[in-house]
Amino acid sequence: MSENILKVSGLKVAYGGIKAVKGIDLEVNKGELVTLIGANGAGKTTTLKAITNTLPACRVEGEITYMGSPLKNVKSFQLVERKLAMVPEGRGVFTRMSIHENMLMGAFTRKDKAGIDADIEKWYGVFPRLKERSAQLAGTLSGGEQQMLAMARALMCHPELLLLDEPSMGLSPIMVEKIFEVIRNVSAQGITILLVEQNAKLALEAAHRGYVMDSGSLIMTGAAQDMLHDPRVKAAYLGE
Ligand code: ATP
């Protein structure tokens, strides 16, 4: 049987009177690339924030288990210690630090200097643009370059689970292609990924499995290839 990395059961989130997530069950197994797609305001980001305990004050119910243990009350830095890395919407790079310093920050839980240096070189190999600009301040990078840096930094902690929130948002078509190429590459290395995306086509093409979220509920799930050919998904999310 496949090993469960993340299990979300009966998750409900309400911001005051707004029910953003209405009782969802979702799981991600080891080595899988699972995508959560849906329109603006469907509740995707709220779901990721509930997993990482980064929601503003609001009502949360349900259970979230990561590698067999509950995630309740776990702080952000402890998530990295537990090898759960998130690349938030809007990237969240340290703008006043260089690219190289951002990469080192991603490895703050590690002590193996040689391993850290080797990993920086490895990810610079995947993102040559970052290598060329390693001394440049992250705040001066383009949106796509910041997205690459945010992903590379997240990968520096050797994540068991990588959460990506709309990595394609605001990027040019060429940059979007590049980011998805990297996501497929990272997935092929065996890293488990939960990918939130509005670009349903690219996300389903890259993923093993998918979930469709609509108005706070999961309305469909299945193998990503099947979903790509499902007439309901095609009509509502692929514009076909
Ligand atoms: P998008 O693709 O546009 O980012 P999403 O699927 O990620 O959308 P969420 O950001 O999770 O959607 O928002 C779900 C609902 O919760 C929306 O109706 C949104 O307005 C509401 N919401 C999100 N954050 C807050 C907040 N801090 N306070 C009040 N309501 C919020």
Side-chain angles (χ1 to χ4, degrees):
M1 212 184 84
S2 45
E3 188 189 334
N4 210 215
I5 295 282
L6 179 73
K7 192 170 170 61
V8 173
S9 312
L11 177 68
K12 293 184 186 173
V13 182
Y15 299 104
I18 300 169
K19 290 182 177 151
V21 178
K22 299 174 183 165
I24 64 164
D25 298 321
L26 171 156
E27 54 186 45
V28 184
N29 296 315
K30 192 168 176 62
E32 274 192 316
L33 197 184
V34 173
T35 188
L36 177 59
I37 58 173
N40 280 123
K44 306 179 300 297
T45 298
T46 300
T47 301
L48 287 190
K49 286 185 176 169
I51 294 169
T52 53
N53 273 316
T54 48
L55 283 167
C58 58
R59 209 166 61 246
V60 185
E61 290 172 48
E63 271 191 34
I64 297 171
T65 322
Y66 166 66
M67 300 194 32
S69 323
L71 275 182
K72 224 177 182 148
N73 304 324
V74 176
K75 305 261 185 307
S76 300
F77 72 92
Q78 293 169 321
L79 291 177
V80 177
E81 283 170 2
R82 290 170 69 168
K83 300 190 178 295
L84 196 168
M86 165 129 164
V87 179
E89 219 173 352
R91 348 282 186 221
V93 297
F94 300 113
T95 53
R96 303 177 80 145
M97 289 185 182
S98 70
I99 289 176
H100 196 76
E101 287 163 343
N102 267 273
M103 298 289 279
L104 289 173
M105 289 300 284
F108 80 94
T109 55
R110 297 173 54 185
K111 303 274 180 281
D112 55 325
K113 185 168 181 325
I116 292 170
D117 289 345
D119 276 349
I120 290 179
E121 279 310 309
K122 169 178 159 182
W123 295 116
Y124 278 170
V126 175
F127 304 100
R129 238 176 231 249
L130 298 181
K131 187 179 171 89
E132 288 161 19
R133 293 165 169 74
S134 68
Q136 190 174 322
L137 289 184
T140 63
L141 294 172
S142 74
E145 290 162 356
Q146 288 194 23
Q147 181 65 51
M148 289 179 187
L149 176 58
M151 282 178 61
R153 188 184 64 187
L155 289 161
M156 286 299 296
C157 77
H158 287 175
E160 279 290 345
L161 177 63
L162 181 63
L163 305 176
L164 299 174
D165 195 0
E166 305 231 5
S168 75
M169 195 172 66
L171 303 186
S172 68
I174 290 174
M175 211 44 120
V176 171
E177 278 299 329
K178 174 72 190 164
I179 289 291
F180 269 88
E181 191 187 309
V182 171
I183 293 170
R184 285 192 293 268
N185 173 330
V186 169
S187 171
Q189 295 184 34
I191 295 172
T192 309
I193 302 175
L194 176 58
L195 166 68
V196 161
E197 256 298 335
Q198 273 196 50
N199 192 328
K201 187 164 190 294
L202 277 177
L204 287 172
E205 280 171 357
H208 300 113
R209 283 194 306 119
Y211 291 90
V212 178
M213 194 162 196
D214 183 32
S215 306
S217 302
L218 293 178
I219 56 166
M220 203 186 295
T221 182
Q225 283 304 315
D226 295 343
M227 290 173 75
L228 268 175
H229 298 108
D230 187 297
R232 292 164 298 172
V233 176
K234 278 185 168 182
Y237 301 100
L238 305 179
E240 291 176 12

